[in-house]
């Protein structure tokens, strides 16, 4: 099976590439903006015609799009998350390769949900910020393209490679700094937010399964369980061997509550991570993952403690 992977050097893309390379039946080609891609191409500025010519030459059976941006202004997010997907869809429509498209979406497309509820694929999306809006627009482009396509709405990925600027990455960095400084107390804020964390390696398994399946439409990829950030911090502290005291600060960030991981004083750190939470999904998000089980034969395998232990190991290497 010839697979074209777009965004192989990104957080999710690296693990998807590893998963596909482990399959002897897959012949993988990586397309991206970096020098280490097999083919250099910028979806946000490249033309559909140029991509069509490449598709006709390579003739993949599956195209997986892991590319995109998670930060930036509305214009950049639209270019990299929406315009780029429009380019992929148009190129596939023009090409004679007939490839299946696996698009990586995100749970932020749904926006805020009712605490205690599980969000299924038929929920009406109401994204709470420009990132979710740009990803939802991409999903709508894929679903309306007429292509053989599936969109995997990935909730909150965790595990090795977690970006240092993400909430879990920042919590691990704050803990590292406290241990490096010998602080006996760590003050953190905004830990009441609950998210559905899914290990990035399980996400890669889901992408692989979607590539081989005939499933179409939208499929949620998550653990099916919401976890409070304060519980995630407690696990991080335990696996790190931090013997100090964790103090949770109440209320939104403001004067006296500096940016995440920045020192309040000689021995105190404040980490406001939830006001607002970066994904625009409010205080609660939990995926209904029954469709992934039924249509992909997929279930998450790696528990959150293992994901957090891997996040800590990478943070600890910076001590």
């Amino acid at each position: 099976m010839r697979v074209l992977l777009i965004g192989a050097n990104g957080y999710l893309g690296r693990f998807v590439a590893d998963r596909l390379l482990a399959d002897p039946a897959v012949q993988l080609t990586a397309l991206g903006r970096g020098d280490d891609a097999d083919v250099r191409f910028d979806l946000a500025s490249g033309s559909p015609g140029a991509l069509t010519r490449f598709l006709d030459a390579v003739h993949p059976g599956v195209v997986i799009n892991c590319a995109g941006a998670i930060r930036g202004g509305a214009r950049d997010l639209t270019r990299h998350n929406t315009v780029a997907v429009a380019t992929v869809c148009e190129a596939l429509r023009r090409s004679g390769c007939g490839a299946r498209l696996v698009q990586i979406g995100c749970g932020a497309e749904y926006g805020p949900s009712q605490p205690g509820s599980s969000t299924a694929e038929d929920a009406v999306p109401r994204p709470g910020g420009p990132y979710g809006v740009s990803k939802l627009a991409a999903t709508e482009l894929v679903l309306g393209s007429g292509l053989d396509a599936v969109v995997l709405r990935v909730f909150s990925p965790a595990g090795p490679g977690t970006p240092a600027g993400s909430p879990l990455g920042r919590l691990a960095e704050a803990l590292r700094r406290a241990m490096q400084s010998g602080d006996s107390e760590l003050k953190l804020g905004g830990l009441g937010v609950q998210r559905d964390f899914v290990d990035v390696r399980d996400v890669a398994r889901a992408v692989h399964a979607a590539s081989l399946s005939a499933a179409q439409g939208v499929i949620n990829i998550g653990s099916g369980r919401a976890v409070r950030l304060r519980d995630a911090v407690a696990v991080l502290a335990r696996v790190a061997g931090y013997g100090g005291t964790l103090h949770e600060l109440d209320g939104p960030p403001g004067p006296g509550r500096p940016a995440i991981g920045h020192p309040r004083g000689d021995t105190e750190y404040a980490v406001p991570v939830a006001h607002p939470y970066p994904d625009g999904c409010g205080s609660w998000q939990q995926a209904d993952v029954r469709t992934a089980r039924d249509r992909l034969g997929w279930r998450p395998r790696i528990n959150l403690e293992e994901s957090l232990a891997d996040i800590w190991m990478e943070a600890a290497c910076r001590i």
Side-chain angles (χ1 to χ4, degrees), residues 222-240:
S223 69
R225 183 173 70 96
V227 175
R228 278 189 175 86
L229 277 184
R230 68 169 64 96
D231 296 329
V233 171
V235 173
L236 273 172
R238 185 173 72 249
V239 300

Side-chain angles (χ1 to χ4, degrees), residues 16-44:
V16 172
D18 289 344
R19 178 75 186 185
L20 294 173
L21 288 169
D23 183 347
V26 170
Q27 180 181 337
L28 183 64
T29 300
L31 182 148
R33 292 181 291 170
D35 292 336
D36 49 356
D38 296 322
V39 177
R40 292 189 65 182
F41 188 84
D42 188 346
L43 292 176

Side-chain angles (χ1 to χ4, degrees), residues 162-215:
T162 293
S166 70
L168 290 180
R170 291 180 176 185
L171 289 170
E173 174 63 13
L175 185 61
R176 182 195 69 80
R177 292 181 60 180
M179 293 181 69
Q180 187 177 27
S181 301
D183 296 336
S184 60
E185 292 186 340
L186 181 61
K187 296 188 177 182
L188 309 170
L191 301 183
V193 168
Q194 298 181 71
R195 286 294 179 270
D196 187 326
F197 296 106
V198 56
D199 193 273
V200 66
R201 292 159 291 194
D202 281 333
V203 174
R205 288 179 42 247
V207 174
H208 189 199
S211 302
L212 300 173
S213 78

Side-chain angles (χ1 to χ4, degrees), residues 54-241:
F54 175 72
L55 291 172
D56 288 339
V58 175
H59 213 78
V62 178
V63 173
I64 301 171
N65 182 26
C66 293
I70 60 175
R71 294 179 184 82
R75 176 176 294 183
D76 286 339
L77 291 170
T78 299
R79 286 181 61 245
H80 292 291
N81 294 338
T82 309
V83 174
V85 173
T87 299
V88 173
C89 290
E90 180 60 24
L92 283 169
R93 278 195 297 263
R94 296 182 189 182
S95 172
C97 69
R100 171 173 172 78
L101 174 61
V102 180
Q103 166 69 17
I104 306 303
C106 68
E109 297 175 41
Y110 289 116
S113 57
Q114 185 69 27
S117 66
S118 292
T119 303
E121 290 84 356
D122 59 358
V124 177
R126 295 186 176 89
Y131 171 63
V133 170
S134 67
K135 293 293 287 186
L136 176 59
T139 292
E140 295 298 334
L141 285 170
V142 171
L143 298 180
S145 66
L147 300 168
D148 173 14
V150 63
V151 178
L152 302 183
R153 275 189 178 146
V154 178
F155 277 61
S156 299
T162 293
S166 70
L168 290 180
R170 291 180 176 185
L171 289 170
E173 174 63 13
L175 185 61
R176 182 195 69 80
R177 292 181 60 180
M179 293 181 69
Q180 187 177 27
S181 301
D183 296 336
S184 60
E185 292 186 340
L186 181 61
K187 296 188 177 182
L188 309 170
L191 301 183
V193 168
Q194 298 181 71
R195 286 294 179 270
D196 187 326
F197 296 106
V198 56
D199 193 273
V200 66
R201 292 159 291 194
D202 281 333
V203 174
R205 288 179 42 247
V207 174
H208 189 199
S211 302
L212 300 173
S213 78
Q216 296 186 339
V218 174
I219 300 178
N220 290 341
I221 303 298
S223 69
R225 183 173 70 96
V227 175
R228 278 189 175 86
L229 277 184
R230 68 169 64 96
D231 296 329
V233 171
V235 173
L236 273 172
R238 185 173 72 249
V239 300

Side-chain angles (χ1 to χ4, degrees), residues 159-160 199 201 235 239 301-311:
D199 193 273
R201 292 159 291 194
V235 173
V239 300
R301 294 177 181 172
I302 300 174
N303 62 40
L304 181 58
E305 182 163 352
E306 182 175 344
S307 302
L308 292 171
D310 288 331
I311 292 173

